[in-house]
Each structure stands twice: as C-alpha cells, then as structure tokens.
Amino acid sequence: MSHDPHPNQFALLKQRRFAPFFWTQFLGAANDNVFKFAFTLMITYQLQLDWLPPSHAGLVIGALFILPYVLFSATSGQLADKHDKARLMQLVKSLEIAIMAVAGWGFYAANVQSLLACVFLMGLHSTLFGPVKYAYLPQQLSERELTGGNGMVEMGTFVAILLGQLAGGVLVDTPAVGPQHVAWACLALAVLGRVTAQAIPPSPSTDPNLVINWNPFTETWRNLKLAHEGLAVFRSLLGISWMWFFGAVFLSNFPAFAKEVLHGSPQVASLLLAVFSIGIGIGSLLCEMLSKRQVEIGLVPLGAIGMSVFAIDLYFAATGLPASEPYSVGAFLAVHAHWRVLADLGALALFAGLYSVPMYALIQLRAQPTHRARIIAANNILNAVFMIASSVIAGALLSAGLTIPQIFLVVGIANAVVALYIFLIVPEYLLRFVAFVLTRLVYRFRIAHDERIPTSGAAVLVCNHVSFVDAVLLMAASPRPIRFLMDAQIFRIPVLGWMFRLAKAIPVAPQKTDPATYEAAFTAARAVLADSELVCLFPEGGITRDGTLQPFKGGVMKLIEGMPEVPVIPMALGNLWGSYFSRVEGGQAMVKPLRRGFWSRVSLAVDAPIRAAEVSPDLLRSRVAALLETAASTAA
C-alpha cells in the first residue's frame, strides 16, 4: 500500500477505507449501550419485578449479552474468514434493525421478557461483528497505520459506550414517555449504522474455500488450539482477556461503588463511567504518539505498572470517606478527597488503554491472514470467559465480606502478579520496554529509513558496534524481534547479560580460541534465517575502542553462504561514541554515569538491502561508513 509512511491517525477519518467502517462500529457500540443502560435503569427504578430484583438486573443483562460470545464466536470467526467482510457487516447491520424493531415493541409494551431476548440478540449482533471488525483493519491499513487505526477504534468504542450510556440514562428518565423515546432512538441508530455500512469498501475473503463447522463447541476448541500455535499471539490474547477481567471488576461495581462507598447519586455513577471511558480513550490515542507508529509492545509493561499503581491507590483514596446524604455531581466534586478517587480511576483507565492497544495490533500483525478472524474469535471467547469469571469472583469476594475498595486492592495486586508472569514468559515485552525507556528517556533516538527494515521474511542486518547498548537500540527500531550474534563476553556482564539471554541472543566466540562456540553460533543463526526471522551481527567483531569504524570480518559471508535469497541490510548507529555505554574512558565503558546528561541525541540510518550475491565485507564497510556521515547529520 503506497500511503504516506507517517499519516496522522485522524486523517484516516477522511478516507473511505476507514471512515464508513469507523462510524458503523461507533453507532453499533452506541446503540448497544443506549439499549442496555436504559433497560437496566428501567428495571432498577421504574418496574418492580419480583423475579428480577434491581440488585441483580445489571448482572443478568450483562451475562445475557456476553453469553453469545461464548456460544457463537467460533462460528462468526469462520464466517469472517470465508466471506467478504464489507458484505458481512452490511448483513449484520440489517439484523440490528430487525432486533431493534422487536425491542421497540418491548419498550412500548414494557414487556421485560422480549427485551431480555433482545439483549441476547444484540450480544449475538456484537459477536458476529467483532471478528469482522478486527480482521477488516489489517486488510485495509498498512502496518504503520495499524496502531493508529486500532487506537481510533478503541477510542471510538469507548466514546460510543460513554455517549450511549449517558443518552440511555437521560432518555429513559423522561417522565411517562421515557421508554418510547429509547425505542425510537435505538431504531434510528440501527438505521444510521446500516446506511454507513453501505459505504464500506469491498474486503475480499481471506479463505474462500473454508468449510464451515457449525458445531460451536468443537470449533471453539479448534480456534483456541489454532491461536495457541503462535505463542506470542496466544499470550497476547490472554493478556487482553486479563485486561477485560480487570476492567469488568471496575465497570460492574461502579453503581454500587458510587452509592455505597462514595455516597453519590446515580449521576455520580455516570461521572465515574465518564472518567473511566475518557481515560481509556486518551490512553488508546497516546499509543500512537508514543509508539512512533510501529506496533510498540514496550508500552504493555508501562500500562501494567500504571494499572496496578492506581488500582492500589484507589483503595487508599476510597477508604474512610465520611458518610453523608447522596451527593449530586456538583456537591460530589466540591469535596477535595473525591478528586483523588477520580484521578486514580482516570489514570488507571489511561494505562489500561496503553496496555491493550499494542496487544491488539500485535495479534493482527502476527496472526496468519487466513486465520485472523478465527483467532480474534478465540480472543472474544476468552474475553467472555474472563469477564464472566470476574463477576463470579467479585461476587464471591463481596459475599465473603470484602468491601468494594478492598476488591479493587485485590485486583491491583493480582494484576502486578499476572503482569510479572506474562513478562517472564514473553520476555519480548520487557525487552521492548527497556528499549522504549532507553530511546525516549536516556537518549533522543532518530531513525532514518526505518521502513527498510523488512516486516516479514528473513534478512541479515549488519551494524557498526559502538557501545554495550547497540542491540537494545536496534530492538527499539525494529518492528519485530531480532536475534543478535553477540560476543560471548557480553553475557558475563550483570543485568546486560541477563537481558541478552532473555532476548535469546546467540553467543559467538573467535574461531581461533573457541571453534565449537563459533560453529554452534552460525548453525543457530542460519536456523533463525530458515525460520524467516531477522538476524543481526556486528562485523567489526567487537566494540570500537577509539570511536572509528574497524575493518569488517568475514562472519557475514559464512552466514549467508548457500542462502542467495536472503537480503543483507547495512545500518549505522551515529553519535553513540562518548556516551556512558561506549568505551570512551581509556577503553573502559560505564564509568561515568550521565556523561552527556539526559536526552543526548543518537541516530540510526538504514540502507537499502543488498542481494546476498553482491555482498562482500569491504562493500558492507563502505556502505556503513557512508551511512555514518548521514547519521551524523541526522543526529545533529
């Protein structure tokens, strides 16, 4: 796709490949929430039903809405892979109009049974739409736009949820005619959504020969097994499901939290929801700014840390607030202590946005295109299971006598444990986080032509070796993991050695002194290339001791021998000489911290790939030397 490599994410809203889709899903999410929230309030405040008491209404409606995700996600994932995604979205939107017509009658007749059936059907509508929604994006957006596109969709969804709930609350509250207003609003939103869906451009099937298995149970199991094949993808699925578990604990407890702990009116519950939604929206949009538009999974640990810190602080902020008459929103905001509660909620949601968007983008990027919708369906199944589990566990903790702030504390601590576990089994997240901190806080890192680092297929990267953190900077520049051939000595350095072992760097030693390690290193590196991954080596054979480019050794020739189709990409790191991690102090590194203060400029220049047949150590060295001149001018 030949789009400007750095478009603004909001520019997508002017383009046909994104705008109609965005508004279709926006209107769908808004409609779900106008309907669900109005119906919940109608049962809670207006109808007195013995068989559905107000305290259970939210849980029952929530469970009915989520049930179709568990039952039908697997089937809808297959439909999305087999059929044109635009056509499918249009059919789902037509179904929505029919459901809302039935719901409209239910609101007029105050027929609770028919409205409960419509909750289930709207859940089915969302189940059918979900996999199509996330599989459509990578088909229409280039890799550089994925984080921005996902951020926009997440932000749009949460704004729609927020506006939908506020509108549902206001409409149903109108004396005497409230439910009728809701009926017409829902029908109007459904018709509007069908109109915008008509403009979605065709998105051809990714697997037209797929034979659909209509048994939801065997297909669900098959989807989960399919997702489990790619471990990075599967663990990201679990990470997202955990975020929904975490979020559901807060969202489902807002009404009770507002009433019993904060002593607020129903409007205060809406305020909490608004702050939470705005937080998630801002976090989702920040992802694009912070990730320089590639899929930056280094944000995930940052998000997880923030989620725990602010969930735990929320417990302290909400404990010991004095009892009072129910506050209106104005009176609630007039109390100084309540601002800390709102700040914690907003920050916690913002970090949850930072945590989830890169995981969604990673799944879209790494999942096989033919199976993409089915893998996203597996994610929806897991999300639903985790959300149901979260309401069961939160209910059990409440029954055991815990207060709502104590439940928030438990979830904050559990989140820290889960995060630590995820980052130890998927070290890529932690490494990218270190690289993220290094390239944003310690250095100001400029990259020229990072689009030349291929997003798929095998390639050999060669780079000059200036400091002990060269590999970390290259990791930050690459959209996917790199396996480094590194001097076996580096593995003995505390912290750095541990990090490079986590990154699965391949230790290499000089052929003269340790021929066995030398051979094993090249066998391992060739296996990585055969697996269509990136390998990087530093042909100088060691870190420069005087800041100049050393002669290149022949290791790269040995690596590409018999692999004529693997491109070799020269790269040059500029302006790192003289930093704390370079051997500037008489051949010693890491002697004087902050030698050049914070944010010293460093740069990376990437050259066009060279065919393996044309490669020689001298040609590579001259290319890297030329790049160093470019890099110096980029950093300046």
Side-chain angles (χ1 to χ4, degrees):
M1 290 179 189
S2 56
H3 304 293
D4 168 22
H6 288 305
N8 176 326
Q9 55 191 355
F10 287 99
L12 289 170
L13 284 176
K14 297 187 189 132
Q15 298 172 17
R16 190 175 158 210
R17 63 202 171 106
F18 187 77
F21 160 77
F22 175 85
W23 292 113
T24 303
Q25 71 92 31
F26 181 89
L27 290 164
N31 204 6
D32 276 345
N33 285 282
V34 170
F35 171 63
K36 277 194 318 198
F37 204 64
F39 181 35
T40 310
L41 289 179
M42 186 169 137
I43 292 178
T44 310
Y45 291 104
Q46 296 174 8
L47 306 172
Q48 305 304 316
L49 301 171
D50 296 334
W51 57 276
L52 189 57
S55 58
H56 288 71
L59 280 175
V60 170
I61 289 172
L64 268 178
F65 189 78
I66 289 171
L67 190 59
Y69 279 95
V70 181
L71 296 177
F72 305 117
S73 280
T75 314
S76 74
Q78 294 178 87
L79 291 170
D81 276 335
K82 184 173 171 69
H83 297 291
D84 181 300
K85 292 173 187 57
R87 188 79 200 96
L88 211 54
M89 287 192 257
Q90 289 154 6
L91 288 170
V92 171
K93 287 302 180 190
S94 301
L95 172 70
E96 187 186 1
I97 295 176
I99 299 169
M100 282 306 152
V102 177
W105 173 79
F107 276 121
Y108 265 87
N111 184 319
V112 174
Q113 286 86 341
S114 70
L115 287 170
L116 286 171
C118 288
V119 170
F120 180 82
L121 290 170
M122 279 308 276
L124 175 64
H125 154 268
S126 296
T127 304
L128 291 170
F129 196 76
V132 194
K133 171 170 102 172
Y134 283 115
Y136 171 87
L137 283 177
Q139 231 178 335
Q140 295 286 348
L141 303 186
S142 71
E143 190 214 340
R144 291 174 170 270
E145 298 166 318
L146 259 188
T147 305
N150 273 299
M152 291 294 286
V153 169
E154 287 296 289
M155 182 231 22
T157 304
F158 274 94
V159 170
I161 289 173
L162 174 65
L163 293 176
Q165 298 206 341
L166 295 177
V170 168
L171 288 169
V172 80
D173 229 14
T174 321
V177 289
Q180 287 91 309
H181 285 181
V182 176
W184 285 108
C186 288
L187 197 59
L189 284 171
V191 172
L192 260 179
R194 180 64 187 83
V195 171
T196 55
Q198 196 54 43
I200 297 174
S203 279
S205 163
T206 44
D207 192 356
N209 303 324
L210 177 69
V211 179
I212 292 189
N213 167 16
W214 293 99
N215 179 332
F217 302 104
T218 55
E219 188 55 32
T220 296
W221 182 245
R222 198 185 297 174
N223 276 6
L224 291 172
K225 270 172 46 183
L226 195 70
H228 196 264
E229 284 169 16
L231 277 182
V233 169
F234 187 69
R235 283 162 181 165
S236 300
L237 295 183
L238 289 177
I240 289 173
S241 296
W242 170 256
M243 198 249 342
W244 281 105
F245 179 101
F246 182 89
V249 170
F250 289 89
L251 288 170
S252 60
N253 280 303
F254 278 163
F257 181 60
K259 185 177 166 196
E260 291 162 22
V261 181
L262 304 178
H263 314 292
S265 60
Q267 283 73 32
V268 172
S270 294
L271 173 71
L272 297 182
L273 189 89
V275 168
F276 195 79
S277 304
I278 291 162
I280 290 229
I282 293 171
S284 301
L285 292 180
L286 271 179
C287 280
E288 165 84 348
M289 287 164 54
L290 290 171
S291 62
K292 297 198 173 154
R293 297 208 172 77
Q294 64 178 350
V295 177
E296 179 50 84
I297 60 177
L299 291 172
V300 175
L302 183 67
I305 293 165
M307 283 158 69
S308 276
V309 167
F310 291 105
I312 291 166
D313 191 64
L314 183 60
Y315 160 73
F316 292 109
T319 303
L321 293 175
S324 83
E325 287 301 301
Y327 289 108
S328 66
V329 170
F332 177 79
L333 291 175
V335 179
H336 185 67
H338 294 159
W339 282 90
R340 180 173 161 196
V341 171
L342 292 177
D344 280 338
L345 264 181
L348 173 154
L350 184 148
F351 280 101
L354 286 183
Y355 170 90
S356 63
V357 171
M359 285 206 192
Y360 273 119
L362 179 87
I363 290 168
Q364 291 170 354
L365 195 61
R366 304 261 179 99
Q368 290 175 342
T370 49
H371 296 89
R372 207 181 266 136
R374 276 165 285 172
I375 286 180
I376 289 154
N379 185 26
N380 286 340
I381 298 161
L382 285 170
N383 287 353
V385 170
F386 272 64
M387 284 165 84
I388 290 167
S390 99
S391 50
V392 170
I393 292 168
L397 291 174
L398 281 171
S399 307
L402 267 72
T403 63
I404 292 175
Q406 283 170 333
I407 289 178
F408 294 166
L409 175 68
V410 168
V411 173
I413 294 168
N415 181 63
V417 174
V418 169
L420 194 65
Y421 173 69
I422 290 181
F423 304 140
L424 288 176
I425 58 172
V426 192
E428 202 185 323
Y429 285 117
L430 211 50
L431 294 165
R432 289 295 286 258
F433 176 56
V434 173
F436 176 80
V437 170
L438 200 61
T439 54
R440 305 296 197 288
L441 297 182
V442 182
Y443 297 122
R444 267 184 301 174
F445 191 40
R446 295 272 179 82
I447 310 172
H449 298 300
D450 59 338
E451 74 283 352
R452 290 172 174 169
I453 302 174
T455 54
S456 60
V460 176
L461 312 174
V462 296
C463 189
N464 58 327
H465 208 357
V466 196
S467 79
F468 282 98
V469 291
D470 293 354
V472 182
L473 293 170
L474 296 180
M475 267 182 226
S478 168
R480 61 195 177 119
I482 304 175
R483 296 285 297 278
F484 292 90
L485 275 164
M486 296 188 95
D487 184 349
Q489 306 286 336
I490 284 190
F491 289 85
R492 294 184 191 149
I493 298 173
V495 184
L496 277 179
W498 172 78
M499 249 184 69
F500 292 135
R501 264 192 289 278
L502 266 184
K504 299 199 183 83
I506 303 164
V508 63
Q511 194 171 9
K512 294 188 191 76
T513 55
D514 190 348
T517 305
Y518 180 81
E519 285 302 329
F522 281 96
T523 309
R526 291 166 74 90
V528 172
L529 289 173
D531 223 10
S532 298
E533 296 293 336
L534 298 176
V535 170
C536 177
L537 71 154
F538 301 102
E540 293 166 275
I543 295 174
T544 175
R545 289 175 177 276
D546 59 5
T548 59
L549 191 61
Q550 308 300 305
F552 278 18
K553 299 187 172 161
V556 67
M557 304 310 293
K558 181 175 173 66
L559 182 58
I560 58 175
E561 202 179 315
M563 291 188 154
E565 68 296 334
V566 173
V568 179
I569 299 162
M571 306 195 292
L573 282 162
N575 214 30
L576 259 175
W577 177 252
S579 74
Y580 170 65
F581 293 104
S582 64
R583 294 186 184 271
V584 69
E585 304 281 344
Q588 294 295 309
M590 297 184 268
V591 180
K592 286 188 185 166
L594 295 179
R595 275 185 58 84
R596 303 194 305 195
F598 275 112
W599 292 303
S600 63
R601 290 171 185 262
V602 296
S603 66
L604 173 72
V606 185
D607 206 346
I610 307 173
R611 285 183 32 244
E614 297 163 14
V615 168
S616 72
D618 289 343
L619 171 70
L620 288 175
R621 189 177 182 279
S622 65
R623 286 282 197 97
V624 172
L627 284 174
L628 278 171
E629 289 171 20
T630 318
S633 60
T634 308

